[in-house]
Coordinates of all heavy atoms in Angstrom, one line a residue:
L20 N -12.8 -4.3 9.0 CA -14.3 -4.5 8.9 C -15.1 -4.2 10.1 O -16.2 -3.9 10.0 CB -14.6 -5.9 8.5 CG -14.1 -6.4 7.1 CD1 -14.3 -7.9 6.9 CD2 -14.7 -5.6 6.0
L21 N -14.4 -4.1 11.2 CA -15.0 -3.7 12.5 C -14.4 -2.4 13.1 O -14.6 -2.2 14.2 CB -14.8 -4.9 13.5 CG -15.4 -6.2 13.2 CD1 -15.0 -7.2 14.2 CD2 -16.9 -6.1 13.0
A22 N -13.9 -1.6 12.2 CA -13.3 -0.3 12.6 C -14.3 0.6 13.3 O -13.9 1.5 14.2 CB -12.7 0.4 11.4
K23 N -15.5 0.5 13.0 CA -16.6 1.4 13.6 C -17.4 0.6 14.7 O -18.4 1.1 15.1 CB -17.5 1.9 12.5 CG -16.8 2.8 11.5 CD -17.8 3.3 10.5 CE -17.1 4.1 9.4 NZ -18.0 4.7 8.4
S24 N -16.9 -0.5 15.1 CA -17.6 -1.3 16.1 C -16.8 -1.3 17.4 O -15.6 -1.4 17.4 CB -17.8 -2.7 15.6 OG -18.4 -2.8 14.4
S25 N -17.6 -1.4 18.5 CA -17.0 -1.6 19.8 C -18.0 -2.3 20.7 O -19.2 -2.1 20.6 CB -16.7 -0.3 20.5 OG -15.6 0.4 19.9
G26 N -17.5 -3.2 21.5 CA -18.4 -3.9 22.4 C -17.8 -5.3 22.7 O -16.7 -5.6 22.3
T27 N -18.6 -6.1 23.6 CA -18.1 -7.4 23.9 C -19.3 -8.4 23.4 O -20.4 -8.1 23.6 CB -17.9 -7.6 25.4 OG1 -19.0 -7.1 26.1 CG2 -16.7 -6.8 25.8
L28 N -18.8 -9.5 22.9 CA -19.7 -10.6 22.4 C -19.2 -11.9 23.0 O -18.0 -12.3 22.8 CB -19.7 -10.6 20.9 CG -20.7 -11.6 20.3 CD1 -21.3 -11.0 19.1 CD2 -20.0 -12.9 20.0
R29 N -20.1 -12.5 23.7 CA -19.8 -13.8 24.3 C -20.6 -14.9 23.6 O -21.8 -14.8 23.4 CB -20.1 -13.9 25.8 CG -19.6 -15.2 26.5 CD -20.0 -15.3 27.9 NE -21.4 -15.7 28.0 CZ -22.2 -15.2 28.9 NH1 -21.9 -14.2 29.7 NH2 -23.4 -15.6 28.9
L30 N -19.8 -15.9 23.1 CA -20.5 -17.1 22.5 C -20.5 -18.2 23.5 O -19.5 -18.6 24.1 CB -19.6 -17.5 21.3 CG -20.1 -18.7 20.6 CD1 -21.4 -18.4 19.9 CD2 -19.0 -19.1 19.6
D31 N -21.8 -18.7 23.8 CA -22.0 -19.8 24.6 C -22.3 -21.0 23.8 O -23.4 -21.1 23.1 CB -23.1 -19.6 25.6 CG -22.7 -18.5 26.6 OD1 -21.6 -18.1 26.7 OD2 -23.7 -18.0 27.2
L32 N -21.5 -22.0 23.7 CA -21.7 -23.2 23.0 C -22.2 -24.3 23.9 O -21.5 -24.8 24.8 CB -20.5 -23.8 22.3 CG -19.8 -22.8 21.3 CD1 -18.5 -23.3 20.8 CD2 -20.8 -22.5 20.2
H33 N -23.5 -24.7 23.8 CA -24.2 -25.6 24.7 C -24.2 -27.0 24.1 O -24.6 -27.2 23.0 CB -25.7 -25.1 24.9 CG -25.8 -23.7 25.3 ND1 -25.5 -23.2 26.5 CD2 -26.3 -22.7 24.6 CE1 -25.7 -22.0 26.6 NE2 -26.2 -21.6 25.5
E34 N -23.7 -27.9 25.0 CA -23.6 -29.3 24.6 C -24.1 -30.1 25.8 O -23.2 -30.3 26.8 CB -22.3 -29.7 24.1 CG -22.2 -31.0 23.5 CD -20.9 -31.3 22.8 OE1 -19.9 -30.7 23.2 OE2 -20.9 -32.1 21.8
G35 N -25.4 -30.4 25.9 CA -25.9 -31.0 27.2 C -25.7 -30.1 28.4 O -26.1 -28.9 28.3
A36 N -25.2 -30.6 29.4 CA -25.0 -29.8 30.7 C -23.7 -29.0 30.6 O -23.5 -28.1 31.5 CB -25.0 -30.7 31.8
H37 N -22.9 -29.2 29.6 CA -21.6 -28.4 29.4 C -21.8 -27.2 28.5 O -22.4 -27.4 27.4 CB -20.6 -29.4 28.9 CG -19.2 -28.7 28.7 ND1 -18.4 -28.4 29.8 CD2 -18.6 -28.4 27.6 CE1 -17.3 -27.8 29.3 NE2 -17.4 -27.8 28.0
T38 N -21.2 -26.1 28.9 CA -21.2 -24.9 28.0 C -19.7 -24.4 27.9 O -19.1 -24.2 28.9 CB -22.1 -23.8 28.6 OG1 -23.4 -24.3 28.7 CG2 -22.1 -22.5 27.7
T39 N -19.3 -24.2 26.6 CA -18.0 -23.6 26.4 C -18.2 -22.2 26.0 O -19.1 -21.9 25.3 CB -17.4 -24.4 25.2 OG1 -17.3 -25.8 25.5 CG2 -16.0 -23.8 24.9
H40 N -17.4 -21.3 26.5 CA -17.5 -19.9 26.3 C -16.3 -19.3 25.5 O -15.2 -19.7 25.7 CB -17.5 -19.1 27.6 CG -18.6 -19.7 28.6 ND1 -19.9 -19.3 28.5 CD2 -18.5 -20.5 29.7 CE1 -20.6 -19.9 29.4 NE2 -19.8 -20.6 30.1
W41 N -16.6 -18.4 24.6 CA -15.6 -17.6 23.9 C -16.1 -16.2 24.1 O -17.2 -15.8 23.9 CB -15.6 -18.0 22.5 CG -15.1 -19.3 22.1 CD1 -15.7 -20.4 22.0 CD2 -13.7 -19.7 21.9 NE1 -15.0 -21.5 21.7 CE2 -13.7 -21.0 21.6 CE3 -12.5 -18.9 21.9 CZ2 -12.5 -21.7 21.4 CZ3 -11.3 -19.6 21.6 CH2 -11.4 -20.9 21.4
L42 N -15.1 -15.3 24.5 CA -15.4 -13.9 24.7 C -14.6 -13.1 23.7 O -13.4 -13.2 23.6 CB -15.1 -13.4 26.1 CG -15.4 -12.0 26.4 CD1 -17.0 -11.8 26.4 CD2 -14.8 -11.6 27.8
L43 N -15.3 -12.3 22.9 CA -14.6 -11.4 21.9 C -14.8 -10.0 22.3 O -16.0 -9.5 22.4 CB -15.2 -11.7 20.5 CG -14.8 -10.8 19.3 CD1 -13.2 -11.0 19.1 CD2 -15.6 -11.1 18.1
R44 N -13.7 -9.3 22.5 CA -13.7 -7.9 22.8 C -13.4 -7.1 21.5 O -12.3 -7.4 20.9 CB -12.8 -7.5 23.9 CG -13.2 -8.0 25.3 CD -12.1 -7.7 26.3 NE -12.5 -8.1 27.6 CZ -12.2 -9.3 28.1 NH1 -11.4 -10.2 27.4 NH2 -12.6 -9.7 29.3

Side-chain angles (χ1 to χ4, degrees):
L20 294 174
L21 297 175
K23 295 181 180 181
S24 302
S25 289
T27 53
L28 184 140
R29 189 182 77 222
L30 176 68
D31 294 344
L32 300 177
H33 306 291
E34 191 167 31
H37 178 72
T38 300
T39 302
H40 306 282
W41 291 93
L42 184 67
L43 176 62
R44 290 180 178 90

